[in-house]
Amino acid sequence: MSTAFARVPSWFVAFTTAALTSVSAACTAFTSTCEATHTCAVVPSPDAAAGTDAGQLSGLASGGSGGTGSGIFPTASGGNGSARIASPGDGDSPAPARGSIDADGGREPAGGNHVDAGPAPPNGAGDDAGIQCPTGLADCNGSRADGCEVPLAASATNCGQCGRDCKGGACIAGECQPLTLVSGLAFAGDLVADASFVHFVDRGSTTAYQLKRVPAAGGAVTQIVDNEAIRSVATDGTHVYWTLAGSSSGNIDRTLSGSGPNDVNLIMSEIKSPGVVGADPLNVFWADDDMSTIYRCGPTTNPNQFCNPVPVLDKTGGVASLLSDGTTLYASGDAVLYAVDLTTRSVAMLVENPGTDLQPSFARLAMDATHVYAWFESKTIGDRPGNHILRFDKPTLANPVDLVNVTFKTASLEVIGSYAYFTQPDGVYRIPTTAPGEMSNVAVSFAQYLTAAAGAVYWIEAGAGIGAPSSIKKIAVF
């Protein structure tokens, strides 16, 4: 036999402490508990006429009269849907999402049932059948037992919104703050990151460089190699690669991310002048600056070598950045931007942004699934600000979009989600990648090299003054 409910207006009543026992009993018949605000959304009527659709409960059911909602109400006889708690006064409106901003700036819990700060007028006009959190609090775990358990302004795991994890950083006024991973570095150079570790180059106490790593969540620093002339570092998300310059030739080495100094493997030797290195899960690339050529690691029969060098692009001049998505290799060089098809070796090349005086900069590239991003600079001497970040279609380098014009070109550029991140002398900034827009500050810092992985941006912060120690910082981004 189907359970039927009378069509009644939704109402909320504040009860005195002495009346709480009877209120709880009434609530139990419907919700199994009385809300922390001492309110009861609706009381079932055993005398309701059979055939009343629960979807007709005004302000409580999805789909309105005779609606097709689904959720916590049982389906009534004669109806075509199961009712659920919905928005104030309108059965056609869905409940607000947990963690969203409400009209007065408060955070609504994400998921159907939200927590009311107090009872609504008994006439039911504009009332709400759920529980609504006061401004600044949220029900992030979806449990009515602890109500609005999260202070959004200070929760490091729900910072400003349910689910926003600061990844070890503090939450102040609803915003994630930078976390220092490493401090006291003598002369930090470059860095790369994956989901678990950050690998970076530091001069240490010698005249040569050291490759070190630190957990992405923070912790002890591990030295991988020492006293090496490291030129460039790259990661494919699993391994870390670096080029080493020698007196007459150099090498490419690699290690598994998270491994120690005893797990370093030689990839390629006798490179005349190794420069920039790049990698994707299937390929390793490097630039031989002396030969003005970009190579890819190919199959080899030499048991002493990991790979055989296969030329990908000749006569490139200097190379600043190598990025690959496994299908196309993108390279920035001396006033040239390249896109090389790895199957056919066909090349798309840009030496300027058509119709402007902008040319590719000798700087880092970034990419996402559909676009590649590059620094361009004005050819006109003294034209400041004259540094731009441009977006191009992959793989053709067509349809350039000038996203931003800034004073300083910097060594770094990364894309996470719908934002491009870069450094300026006074901090870390980001811009939307979808269309030209205002840049916004992410962190105030004397930021230099920057990288990104797994929802966080990492950068090297230079010390205040010549010879002052530098540090590595991170911040969670959304």
Side-chain angles (χ1 to χ4, degrees), residues 449-463:
Y449 296 98
L450 174 149
T451 191
V457 173
Y458 305 83
W459 69 94
I460 293 173
E461 181 175 84

Side-chain angles (χ1 to χ4, degrees), residues 5 16 34 102 130 132 163 165 175 235 254 282 304 318 322 351 373 377 403 421 462:
F5 292 94
T16 62
C34 178
D102 61 20
Q132 180 180 0
D165 189 341
E175 298 290 340
T235 182
R254 83 168 183 181
L282 300 175
N304 298 317
L322 293 172
V351 295
Y373 304 80
E377 60 190 1
L403 295 176
Y421 294 83

Side-chain angles (χ1 to χ4, degrees), residues 196-378:
S196 301
F197 294 96
V198 180
H199 288 77
F200 60 96
V201 178
D202 185 30
R203 180 168 288 177
S205 58
T206 67
T207 57
Y209 292 96
Q210 302 166 337
L211 179 66
K212 302 176 180 179
R213 76 155 192 269
V214 63
V221 175
T222 300
Q223 182 172 296
I224 307 301
V225 296
D226 187 17
N227 199 27
E228 300 280 8
I230 300 173
R231 298 284 303 276
S232 174
V233 184
T235 182
D236 60 8
T238 302
H239 294 88
V240 177
Y241 302 83
W242 61 96
T243 53
L244 303 172
S247 57
S248 58
S249 65
N251 304 332
I252 298 175
D253 288 348
R254 83 168 183 181
T255 187
L256 185 68
S257 179
S259 296
N262 296 323
D263 189 28
V264 175
N265 302 299
L266 175 66
I267 297 298
M268 186 68 200
S269 61
E270 299 182 4
I271 303 171
K272 185 69 174 177
S273 181
V276 173
V277 64
D280 63 40
L282 300 175
N283 301 283
V284 182
F285 305 89
W286 69 91
D288 189 326
D289 291 343
D290 185 72
M291 303 296 292
S292 295
T293 303
I294 297 173
Y295 293 93
R296 175 170 63 173
C297 182
T300 179
T301 58
N302 185 343
N304 298 317
Q305 281 194 168
F306 181 82
C307 64
N308 183 51
V310 176
V312 175
L313 185 63
D314 299 325
K315 307 301 180 184
T316 59
V319 177
S321 183
L322 293 172
L323 283 182
S324 171
D325 57 12
T327 301
T328 305
L329 174 68
Y330 300 92
S332 63
D334 290 326
V336 183
L337 176 62
Y338 300 96
V340 184
D341 187 295
L342 293 176
T343 300
T344 64
R345 287 192 60 187
S346 61
V347 179
M349 181 174 66
L350 278 179
V351 295
E352 65 179 7
N353 185 26
T356 73
D357 73 336
L358 299 179
Q359 63 185 9
S361 300
F362 192 79
R364 296 282 180 89
L365 301 174
M367 66 179 176
D368 56 24
T370 56
H371 296 95
V372 61
Y373 304 80
W375 284 100
F376 272 59
E377 60 190 1
S378 174

